Amino acid sequence: MSPLVRMILRRLALSVLILLVVSVLIFAATLLLPGDPARAILGQQATPERVAALTAQLGLDRPAPERYLTWLGGVLTGDLGFSAATGGPVSELLGDRIGASALLLVLTALVSTPVALALGARAAVRRGTRTDSAVSGASLVLAALPEFVIGVLLVVLFATSVLRILPSVTIARPGEPVWARPEQLVLPVVTLALVVIPYVVRMTRATLSETLDAGYVEMARLKGLPERTVLFRHAVPHTIGPVAQVIALQLAWLAGGVVVVEFLFRYPGIGQALIDAVANRDVQVVQAITLVIAAFYVVVNLAADVAGILADPRIRHSSTGGSA
């Protein structure tokens, strides 16, 4: 087995271990939520007998380790349990909402990644110029603004006060897919993109600037290679790994940050579902959503690690040499 394959398998095993630890923390955190879930569902006027019956029905009277193993076994087999608030399967409750949030995240990634990479690379190539100063200054300002502030500013500019060309909240009817009305996706996607772009721009500029000053890049220039060839063949491959890590961290952050944006725009995704579940003390739904967010975070970081490993010429060359 080559060193490259072993390195990837180690990353994969570490990701599985992290998910297991996270599942324990998620389950423990839901145990620490204040109040009695059965009482919260039935209301304060419920009789002790009804509360006791619902507690037994939800399995809340069993020891915590037993409940955790039952829950984990269900997760591994695709059974996320039943919602205490609706009585239906959690998987059915979250199916459309996960799809809606996934669409939001995918569109944000498709918009923010190429824009950030292009701006960061241009700033690095034109270091010390007005272009560099403008890109760096704008990214610094955006990085200092929380996502809800950016969202409110966009609503004021494009939905309520200035232009009034976009809806300020989701306008899809109940049961209607969010992509049926593309205009309602614009402001949430732009809000999330403007939160992600500054960090990727700054990391791309810093990493590419350092690479452009490296000795092997100077050697390539001395050989008379065109600047475009030097940039894309010698500089960019050495910056993919660190930049991919930052992109992964920012996209993984979106899984958590999307909660605020979905609440702001009344978007029917997992963020809004999580807020409702916490308010209703719907433990099974809270556990499922937080585990989905954690799994997304771990998988995106694993993909970034693998991309960085495969893109690093030094690792590829050492792997080829070892297998030879």
Side-chain angles (χ1 to χ4, degrees), residues 64-118:
E66 180 182 344
R67 289 159 53 193
Y68 167 74
L69 293 176
T70 301
W71 172 68
L72 182 61
V75 169
L76 295 177
T77 58
D79 180 10
L80 299 177
F82 290 86
S83 168
T86 65
V90 174
S91 56
E92 293 183 5
L93 174 66
L94 298 182
D96 293 339
R97 290 179 175 269
I98 290 176
S101 292
L103 176 64
L104 205 61
L105 298 180
V106 169
L107 291 177
T108 301
L110 292 177
V111 170
S112 62
T113 302
V115 171
L117 292 177

Side-chain angles (χ1 to χ4, degrees), residues 32-293:
L32 298 176
L33 288 175
D36 182 359
R39 176 69 67 180
I41 295 169
L42 296 175
Q44 296 299 321
Q45 304 303 321
T47 63
E49 292 76 12
R50 291 187 62 194
V51 173
L54 182 58
T55 299
Q57 179 183 345
L58 297 176
L60 300 177
D61 56 344
R62 293 182 295 165
E66 180 182 344
R67 289 159 53 193
Y68 167 74
L69 293 176
T70 301
W71 172 68
L72 182 61
V75 169
L76 295 177
T77 58
D79 180 10
L80 299 177
F82 290 86
S83 168
T86 65
V90 174
S91 56
E92 293 183 5
L93 174 66
L94 298 182
D96 293 339
R97 290 179 175 269
I98 290 176
S101 292
L103 176 64
L104 205 61
L105 298 180
V106 169
L107 291 177
T108 301
L110 292 177
V111 170
S112 62
T113 302
V115 171
L117 292 177
L119 290 175
R122 188 166 185 82
V125 172
R126 296 180 174 272
R127 282 175 293 174
T129 65
R130 292 182 178 179
T131 300
D132 180 25
S133 300
V135 171
S136 299
S139 63
L140 184 61
V141 171
L142 287 175
L145 296 177
E147 61 269 20
F148 69 88
V149 173
I150 296 176
V152 169
L153 290 176
L154 291 177
V155 168
V156 171
L157 290 175
F158 298 104
T160 60
S161 299
V162 182
L163 296 179
R164 298 184 181 181
I165 58 176
L166 294 170
S168 59
V169 295
T170 302
I171 56 177
R173 300 183 182 92
E176 183 182 33
V178 290
W179 55 83
R181 298 172 181 263
E183 65 273 16
Q184 67 187 359
L185 298 171
V186 175
L187 290 182
V189 169
V190 173
T191 299
L192 291 172
L194 289 179
V195 174
V196 171
I197 285 174
Y199 299 96
V200 181
V201 166
R202 295 178 69 82
M203 185 62 182
T204 302
R205 182 196 178 282
T207 305
L208 188 56
S209 296
E210 183 179 352
T211 304
L212 289 173
D213 292 334
Y216 55 86
V217 175
E218 292 295 333
M219 183 63 67
R221 290 195 180 103
L222 292 176
K223 290 180 180 179
L225 294 176
E227 188 64 24
R228 181 178 295 270
T229 302
V230 172
L231 179 64
F232 289 101
R233 183 178 298 177
H234 297 277
V236 170
H238 288 82
T239 64
I240 290 178
V243 173
Q245 292 284 348
V246 173
I247 293 175
L249 287 174
Q250 292 305 308
L251 295 181
W253 169 88
L254 289 179
V258 76
V259 174
V260 176
V261 174
E262 288 185 358
F263 179 76
L264 176 63
F265 293 102
R266 300 298 186 268
Y267 187 83
I270 60 173
Q272 188 65 47
L274 179 61
I275 293 173
D276 294 340
V278 171
N280 296 328
R281 289 283 294 159
D282 201 342
V283 175
Q284 295 280 3
V285 176
V286 173
Q287 291 172 341
I289 294 177
T290 50
L291 188 61
V292 166
I293 293 174

